[in-house]
Amino acid sequence: MKYDVIVAGAGPAGLMAAKTAAEDGLKVLLIERKKNISEINRLCGQWTSINFSVSGEPLKKYGYLEPISLEVGTDETRVHFLSLGFSIAYNGPLRPYMRWIHFSPSGYRIHREKEGTLFGFFWEKETLLAGLLSEVEKTGAEVLTETAALGAENTPDGVKVQVRTKSGEQTLEARRVIAADGNSSRIVDSLGLNEKRKALGSVDSEGGIVGYVLEGVETEYRLNSWLQFTVPDLSRPNFWMFMLAGDRNTLGVTGGRSEVIDKFMKLPFYEPWFRNARIVKKIATAMGTVRTPIMEPAAGNVLVIGDAAALIEVTNPGAIACGYQGAKATFKELNGQKGYPEYIEWWQKSFETNIPDYLKMAGRFYSLNGICSNEEVDYLYRLAQDQVGLPAILVARNMERIKTERPEFYERLKKAGIDENLAEMKMDLFQAMGTNKV
């Protein structure tokens, strides 16, 4: 065949997979539906967590759990993937996250980290993608843009990939395929890998994840802060705000529309923040159906990596790690070794959302949003004002007081799983995630 491997999707996972496979001597074709690979036109947090604790429990990280380190120089930053033994260069803006705060409608605060704790950093995804693409091009791998993967079919000799280009549909063939085509992967669906996944809901750009890129936000929290706002009378999921390069911020909401953000910006406590803010652009993310992870992401001669196999996202470093590991696994398979089983074992243990009972536990931690009014959130956050921990756990530690002051509300909280057992639990979920440090 003309290609040893076709990589579908040119996000961080696909770019890293194409780069690594080509460097290992494989003949690689990378296909991407966008015209400009490095351009980002959707809502994207662009942050990487390092380590953070939850209510003083063992350190964990969001998304990818294995250790990384940053070597910051005057010309470039190198991101080292310590357990995997490789690094990448990054030449864009880098800003530390030092505050992670949950706000109530009236501005009461709960801190997820002690203020001043470095728990992550912002890196610009467009610069990240441009750098990885440049590395792919140096390897001689072939790159086809404006080429959307429609599906894949295993054959006795390899894989056929149906694609749509500007000139119409056609079939490409390779000995192996790495599917890195994102959360709504057509390849995953064509192989039947979605059939055993549990659908958790649908998120689309009309009523899903929407946001504004803003200039001129007037609050100290616009800097070095990841903010979440629980305002259930406007939206049951959280609002949130995070920093971008150039003193810009993204303000967004999951489960709402832009007019909901407009209403949030006019709430009495927050209106001064946005009084002189200018909307640079409106952004959204269409994700389709959200499903549980694919725990064994291989089918025949196809390996599924990154967000295509994940619950929502694996984060940028997780995607890069998937690309590297996926390419190494594919190389082994092409040389008669068991690369896919090794990848699957690594995948199952290296990501937060692949841990058994993650969804059950996470649902208890964030259940306040679905059962409270604005006034009730203010009441609960006032009880835990400026304490450090997850809101649900801090609320659970005040259950006796709530029982005395608001017995009916107490019963409603207990029914939602906010109880004394939650307050005293040893956080087994987070212990299972390990204590890797940077």
Side-chain angles (χ1 to χ4, degrees):
M1 292 183 181
K2 186 176 180 180
Y3 303 107
D4 293 315
V5 59
I6 292 174
V7 180
L15 287 166
M16 191 67 200
K19 171 184 181 295
T20 305
E23 288 174 343
D24 283 344
L26 300 181
K27 182 69 173 177
V28 177
L29 171 64
L30 174 65
I31 62 173
E32 167 58 43
R33 62 176 179 80
K34 294 190 302 184
K35 182 178 181 179
N36 183 349
I37 286 176
S38 63
E39 186 177 40
I40 300 296
N41 288 317
R42 63 182 181 85
L43 196 151
C44 184
Q46 305 180 74
W47 82 296
T48 288
S49 62
I50 299 176
N51 283 307
F52 55 88
S53 60
V54 180
S55 299
E57 294 295 336
L59 294 169
K60 67 178 285 289
K61 296 192 292 181
Y62 169 66
Y64 179 56
L65 299 176
E66 295 191 324
I68 62 173
S69 70
L70 272 66
E71 183 181 355
V72 182
T74 55
D75 297 323
E76 71 174 18
T77 297
R78 293 207 67 85
V79 183
H80 299 285
F81 292 75
L82 303 178
S83 60
L84 301 182
F86 76 94
S87 64
I88 64 166
Y90 169 71
N91 298 295
L94 190 71
R95 299 181 64 186
Y97 275 109
M98 309 292 287
R99 290 181 290 204
W100 186 350
I101 306 174
H102 292 254
F103 282 89
S104 78
S106 298
Y108 296 104
R109 301 178 303 268
I110 291 177
H111 299 264
R112 282 286 290 276
E113 283 295 327
K114 183 178 179 181
E115 190 160 340
T117 300
L118 175 63
F119 66 88
F121 59 90
F122 163 87
W123 55 348
E124 190 174 64
K125 193 169 183 177
E126 290 191 346
T127 303
L128 173 66
L129 294 177
L132 289 171
L133 176 60
S134 176
E135 293 296 313
V136 170
E137 292 170 340
K138 290 177 184 177
T139 68
E142 187 175 344
V143 180
L144 288 179
T145 58
E146 299 180 278
T147 303
L150 303 179
E153 177 187 355
N154 281 293
T155 69
D157 299 319
V159 188
K160 292 182 178 180
V161 181
Q162 192 72 15
V163 300
R164 182 189 297 116
T165 68
K166 291 190 297 182
S167 58
E169 293 188 12
Q170 64 183 91
T171 300
L172 304 172
E173 294 187 65
R175 297 167 64 196
R176 289 291 191 276
V177 163
I178 297 176
D181 49 340
N183 185 266
S184 298
S185 169
R186 299 284 292 274
I187 290 178
V188 167
D189 201 42
S190 70
L191 294 171
L193 292 174
N194 284 333
E195 294 175 3
K196 294 183 179 180
R197 304 174 76 182
K198 181 180 179 181
L200 303 175
S202 179
V203 180
D204 58 47
S205 59
E206 293 299 317
I209 304 176
V210 295
Y212 294 158
V213 174
L214 300 171
E215 287 182 343
V217 176
E218 296 178 340
T219 172
E220 63 174 304
Y221 297 115
R222 76 185 192 280
L223 301 172
N224 308 107
S225 304
W226 186 276
L227 308 179
Q228 293 175 245
F229 311 90
T230 301
V231 189
D233 290 359
L234 293 180
S235 175
R236 290 298 174 181
N238 284 334
F239 294 82
W240 26 261
M241 188 173 80
F242 54 82
M243 61 183 177
L244 300 174
D247 203 6
R248 292 182 173 185
N249 293 89
T250 293
L251 175 66
V253 63
T254 303
R257 301 175 185 270
S258 58
E259 56 263 34
V260 177
I261 303 177
D262 295 336
K263 292 178 181 179
F264 171 80
M265 294 168 69
K266 294 177 182 177
L267 290 174
F269 182 82
Y270 301 105
E271 191 274 337
W273 294 18
F274 305 109
R275 184 176 298 152
N276 298 311
R278 182 175 73 88
I279 299 174
V280 177
K281 64 178 178 179
K282 298 180 180 181
I283 49 180
T285 297
M287 296 175 58
T289 302
V290 178
R291 297 181 173 91
T292 52
I294 304 173
M295 297 308 294
E296 296 187 3
N301 298 317
V302 180
L303 182 65
V304 182
I305 67 171
D307 289 356
L311 172 70
I312 303 178
E313 62 182 350
V314 295
T315 70
N316 285 332
I320 293 166
C322 283
Y324 179 85
Q325 289 289 79
K328 292 297 184 182
T330 299
F331 181 83
K332 286 185 176 181
E333 289 285 333
L334 288 170
N335 286 278
Q337 302 174 53
K338 300 296 184 180
Y340 289 174
E342 291 180 8
Y343 179 89
I344 291 169
E345 181 181 5
W346 170 83
W347 163 253
Q348 291 178 355
K349 70 180 183 180
S350 299
F351 291 85
E352 174 188 44
T353 52
N354 291 344
I355 294 171
D357 293 330
Y358 169 82
L359 287 172
K360 180 180 177 181
M361 299 289 286
R364 292 183 72 189
F365 296 148
Y366 293 99
S367 58
L368 292 178
N369 302 42
I371 62 173
C372 297
S373 66
N374 280 7
E375 187 278 331
E376 288 168 338
V377 172
D378 278 335
Y379 165 72
L380 295 175
Y381 276 47
R382 187 168 61 249
L383 295 180
Q385 168 79 328
D386 284 334
Q387 295 180 31
V388 178
L390 275 167
I393 292 178
L394 296 179
V395 168
R397 291 174 181 171
N398 282 286
M399 286 296 278
E400 284 301 316
R401 179 174 175 180
I402 297 168
K403 183 178 182 180
T404 300
E405 296 178 353
R406 300 192 179 190
E408 292 184 2
F409 187 30
Y410 168 84
E411 293 298 332
R412 189 152 30 102
L413 290 170
K414 284 196 67 174
K415 187 175 181 181
I418 310 298
D419 55 24
E420 292 81 356
N421 291 329
L422 183 63
E424 299 302 326
M425 67 183 298
K426 299 301 182 182
M427 305 293 282
D428 293 337
L429 171 67
F430 299 114
Q431 291 175 357
M433 293 175 185
T435 57
N436 293 326
K437 298 183 179 180
V438 171

